[in-house]
Amino acid sequence: MATPVLRCCCPARRWALAYTDRGSRHGIGAPAGSRSSGKRGQSSVVPQPLITAEKPRKGEHKWAAVVGLEIHAQISSKSKLFSGSQVHFAAPPNSLVSFFDAALPGTLPVLNRRCVEAAVMTGLALNCHINKKSLFDRKHYFYADLPAGYQITQQRLPIAVRGSLACSVRVGRTQSQAVNKTVRIKQIQLEQDSGKSLHDDRRSQTLVDLNRAEGQLRVDANISVHHPGEPLGVRTEVKNLNSARFLAKAIDYEIQRQIIELENGGEILNETRSFDYKLGCTVPMRDKEGKQDYRFIPEPNLPPLLLYDSASVPAGADPQQVINIDQIREQLPELPSVTREKLIQQYGMLPEHSFTLLNEVGLLEFFQNVIKETRAEPKKVTNWVLNTFLGFLKQQNLAVGESPVTPSALAELLNLLDRKAISSSAAKQVFEELWRNEGKTPAQIVSAKKLELMQDRGALERLCLSTMEEHPQVVMDVKKRNPRAINKLIGLVRKATLGRADPALIKEILERKLSS
């Protein structure tokens, strides 16, 4: 109870999802053995791939979907939103419950300053307008894990409104192209968390834990489909999604289900559904035809929340008693969009590469540390970090912080490669040895395995000549302008040198000898 929660409402649109031709949907059909009708619970529960089309053909009708997200995010604070009870994950049930949390008569809420500051910072990061005056309301409903019979929230005048979040979506067959999108933020509000119901099926009883209800994130998705130019469709709400992956799967499935339902003559019910992650589908929970009256009223025990900027702070006010929006703005860290743009401008990085660096925890810091210690070009560093290094991490299912290869070790390896002390193939062998974490430096591995590039040009020329003499047919193929023959000769020479010769130098020597 009373755990600090930020509630964020994000209306968004997803267009051009599918096309239909005389009632059938291309690429999607009802699964064998399933039925589809207007009755709840009888639509398909087998997830099918969502097929998109670039443009409608004659006689086809385009579907569009509207998706709105209600995001409940836990604020990182030491105590709860309206009480001094501590917040600890996985604490024993009901071990962090104050008299106010238990709704004992005569107890009053006390607003947590840290939570207000976090809400303002979130609003600023999402380009919201911060209301200098916001109000608290009581939302009435009766459930076992809500002992007061109401929840304190901000329904009428929330702390932040009218924001936006810019993002890039990967499109195309290879997901290599990035398209910029903007998600609108309707509002951000501070909201009291409810308790948690623990259902014991063996004993046919339900227990209540008033410590707190949720994890760090919970999302409710409201989804509807319609034909563009026509009224919006009836929406369903998929409740309590606790990961971005499940959220995406639930939205895709629900859009699909609704289209199939409508194309088969059914109707969409205004209902609440849940997502079964094991089956990969949404299932009905309860209908919403009879809209619940929450009987919102102003919270009588909390005055309006007043915020200030530098120009409006009352003269002589105690800094501990006021919250300054401008001061919080100055504390904002660099936002991801700014960091991505810097990476693109500074290193000539592709947008999709900048997203990968920021999306993997610790990877950007690893990349920047390598850049500081190596003379290699940024593009080469990017390639090694995103392909070789990240590939090894994913194979071993390791986080960046668990890597046996340090930024300094990778930087030293790239320096050897940059000054052509080793070949690319040798560098990969050295990296594999580093990954085994045997305590050796790249230079020691190169020396021990004799992976240095041949520096004796005369010896390399003699080796190229002997290779040509041993493979006259390949030489004839080269002279007949077979484009693959020269590469075969280069490979034979590299094999003879155990990969210790520079391929570019080998090619230069071979071409000169072949033309003489």
Side-chain angles (χ1 to χ4, degrees):
M1 287 289 295
T3 303
V5 172
L6 277 184
R7 183 176 171 189
C8 179
C9 299
C10 309
R13 289 181 181 267
R14 293 171 52 147
W15 294 99
L17 292 164
Y19 301 101
T20 60
D21 183 8
R22 295 184 299 276
S24 66
R25 184 164 186 254
H26 295 293
I28 298 180
S34 68
R35 295 179 295 167
S36 180
S37 71
K39 296 182 180 180
R40 188 174 72 182
Q42 291 188 342
S43 58
S44 166
V45 296
V46 180
Q48 300 290 320
L50 184 64
I51 306 300
T52 62
E54 292 183 359
K55 58 182 179 179
R57 294 181 294 185
K58 187 176 180 180
E60 293 182 335
H61 301 282
K62 183 168 63 173
W63 286 102
V66 177
V67 179
L69 303 180
E70 184 176 313
I71 303 169
H72 300 254
Q74 181 191 355
I75 295 174
S76 178
S77 62
K78 294 181 180 179
S79 58
K80 299 183 182 181
L81 181 58
F82 296 120
S83 80
S85 295
Q86 299 298 298
V87 176
H88 292 302
F89 181 74
N94 297 309
S95 62
L96 304 173
V97 182
S98 69
F99 290 160
F100 174 80
D101 300 332
L104 296 185
T107 55
L108 297 174
V110 178
L111 185 58
N112 186 326
R113 178 191 177 95
R114 155 67 189 154
C115 296
V116 177
E117 292 173 339
V120 172
M121 183 170 285
T122 303
L124 293 173
L126 293 174
N127 303 302
C128 291
H129 168 74
I130 307 298
N131 286 323
K132 292 184 180 179
K133 177 181 178 181
S134 60
L135 304 173
F136 289 96
D137 305 284
R138 287 186 179 183
K139 175 183 178 181
H140 291 85
Y141 65 94
F142 297 98
Y143 205 70
D145 56 22
L146 192 68
Y150 63 85
Q151 180 184 36
I152 301 177
T153 185
Q154 290 189 303
Q155 178 69 15
R156 296 172 298 155
L157 189 58
I159 195 167
V161 294
R162 300 191 304 277
S164 63
L165 175 63
C167 59
S168 290
V169 180
R170 293 189 180 185
V171 297
R173 291 184 178 180
T174 61
Q175 299 287 294
S176 59
Q177 296 175 310
V179 177
N180 294 328
K181 298 286 185 180
T182 300
V183 179
R184 293 170 293 142
I185 309 294
K186 180 185 177 184
Q187 66 188 59
I188 294 175
Q189 62 197 62
L190 285 162
E191 185 172 274
Q192 178 186 20
D193 198 5
S194 62
K196 184 177 186 179
S197 294
L198 305 171
H199 304 290
D200 187 344
D201 295 332
R202 291 179 58 189
R203 301 179 181 177
S204 299
Q205 64 181 7
T206 296
L207 304 176
V208 174
D209 179 9
L210 296 181
N211 283 353
R212 52 188 296 274
E214 59 192 309
Q216 295 181 342
L217 179 73
R218 191 182 77 240
V219 182
D220 303 330
N222 290 271
I223 305 158
S224 67
V225 299
H226 69 287
H227 294 303
E230 297 181 3
L232 300 182
V234 176
R235 65 181 174 89
T236 59
E237 182 180 28
V238 184
K239 298 283 286 185
N240 297 334
L241 297 158
N242 58 10
S243 78
R245 184 164 60 94
F246 290 161
L247 173 63
K249 287 185 176 182
I251 291 173
D252 285 340
Y253 177 84
E254 186 60 19
I255 290 171
Q256 208 167 246
R257 183 193 70 83
Q258 291 187 21
I259 292 175
I260 293 174
E261 192 80 27
L262 293 171
E263 289 176 359
N264 284 277
E267 62 176 336
I268 303 302
L269 300 180
N270 181 214
E271 62 183 352
T272 299
R273 302 175 72 88
S274 63
F275 180 68
D276 188 321
Y277 70 93
K278 293 181 180 178
L279 296 177
C281 65
T282 63
V283 294
M285 292 176 62
R286 57 183 181 271
D287 67 67
K288 302 177 73 170
E289 294 299 337
K291 187 176 180 180
Q292 186 170 1
D293 181 8
Y294 290 114
R295 296 180 295 118
F296 286 100
I297 64 170
E299 169 55 56
N301 294 324
L302 286 171
L305 174 58
L306 301 180
L307 307 177
Y308 301 90
D309 54 26
S310 297
S312 62
V313 173
D318 182 356
Q320 296 301 316
Q321 297 300 316
V322 297
I323 292 178
N324 189 322
I325 300 171
D326 291 332
Q327 288 182 355
I328 295 175
R329 194 190 310 274
E330 293 172 359
Q331 297 169 14
L332 268 177
E334 184 174 275
L335 299 178
S337 58
V338 177
T339 304
R340 287 194 296 268
E341 187 61 30
K342 284 184 177 180
L343 290 171
I344 293 169
Q345 296 298 326
Q346 185 173 358
Y347 302 119
M349 190 178 293
L350 294 174
E352 52 267 30
H353 291 167
S354 69
F355 272 90
T356 304
L357 281 178
L358 266 72
N359 289 346
E360 296 287 338
V361 176
L363 191 60
L364 176 60
E365 183 181 1
F366 186 96
F367 169 82
Q368 291 173 330
N369 287 335
V370 175
I371 285 284
K372 291 176 184 176
E373 299 185 43
T374 185
R375 294 185 296 272
E377 294 181 352
K379 288 186 178 180
K380 182 171 288 186
V381 177
T382 302
N383 178 60
W384 271 83
V385 170
L386 296 186
N387 294 326
T388 307
F389 176 72
L390 190 57
F392 271 70
L393 285 178
K394 292 189 179 298
Q395 287 176 7
Q396 303 294 324
N397 196 27
L398 296 175
V400 174
E402 298 171 317
S403 166
V405 177
T406 65
S408 296
L410 181 55
E412 182 184 342
L413 174 59
L414 293 179
N415 284 337
L416 292 172
L417 191 59
D418 184 64
R419 65 172 186 260
K420 297 185 178 180
I422 56 174
S423 65
S424 296
S425 59
K428 291 179 180 178
Q429 293 182 53
V430 174
F431 186 87
E432 291 175 359
E433 289 294 320
L434 287 172
W435 195 265
R436 295 190 183 98
N437 197 21
E438 296 179 356
K440 296 180 180 179
T441 66
Q444 290 171 337
I445 295 172
V446 169
S447 177
K449 291 188 170 290
K450 299 181 179 179
L451 296 174
E452 305 93 339
L453 278 177
M454 289 182 63
Q455 302 298 330
D456 189 339
R457 185 183 178 98
L460 185 56
E461 289 192 355
R462 291 190 294 272
L463 190 57
C464 288
L465 184 60
S466 64
T467 302
M468 292 168 60
E469 292 172 348
E470 292 170 5
H471 299 86
Q473 185 58 48
V474 181
V475 173
M476 290 295 294
D477 290 342
V478 173
K479 292 183 177 181
K480 291 178 181 178
R481 300 184 182 278
N482 184 336
R484 296 183 180 178
I486 187 68
N487 291 332
K488 185 172 183 180
L489 272 180
I490 294 172
L492 290 168
V493 175
R494 292 196 68 202
K495 184 177 180 181
T497 64
L498 301 177
R500 295 175 57 207
D502 182 1
L505 181 58
I506 295 174
K507 185 177 181 181
E508 177 192 331
I509 294 172
L510 287 173
E511 288 177 341
R512 180 167 50 80
K513 290 187 176 296
L514 288 166
S515 63
S516 60

